[in-house]
Amino acid sequence: MYSLKIIQNKTRDMFNSTVLIFSGKSYMFNCCEGTQRNSADQGIRFKNINRIFLSSSERVCASGVWGVLMSRWELI
């Protein structure tokens, strides 16, 4: 069983982040600025995220990684 959730950013200049939940493990793709705030609005928690994948080496794809990692450490 799998689930796919898209964390939609409210600005046009940022990528959307995607969370794939497969066999109890969660994988995130593109962690942009505002991902942490938008996921709280949509009820998605970061406690079970195992890996974060970036589709590009640009700053815009990885600017929210530190916020996600800090919120994940608080929940453990």
Side-chain angles (χ1 to χ4, degrees):
M1 180 89 174
Y2 69 92
S3 174
L4 183 68
K5 297 180 180 183
I6 297 175
I7 303 171
Q8 183 177 3
N9 285 320
K10 295 176 173 64
T11 60
R12 293 182 182 172
D13 59 340
M14 296 287 182
F15 293 110
N16 291 332
S17 298
T18 306
V19 177
L20 175 65
I21 301 169
F22 185 73
S23 299
K25 295 183 180 180
S26 299
Y27 304 98
M28 177 179 277
F29 298 90
N30 290 335
C31 187
C32 303
E33 182 69 33
T35 299
Q36 184 180 9
R37 179 177 51 253
N38 293 331
S39 65
D41 293 342
Q42 297 175 18
I44 298 171
R45 299 190 57 176
F46 296 120
K47 186 176 181 179
N48 297 327
I49 291 181
N50 296 61
R51 302 278 190 261
I52 298 175
F53 297 99
L54 303 175
S55 64
S56 176
S57 61
E58 295 179 19
R59 181 186 60 85
V60 73
C61 289
S63 56
V65 171
W66 295 114
V68 169
L69 290 177
M70 287 189 294
S71 66
R72 185 180 186 277
W73 287 331
E74 290 177 6
L75 297 174
I76 294 176

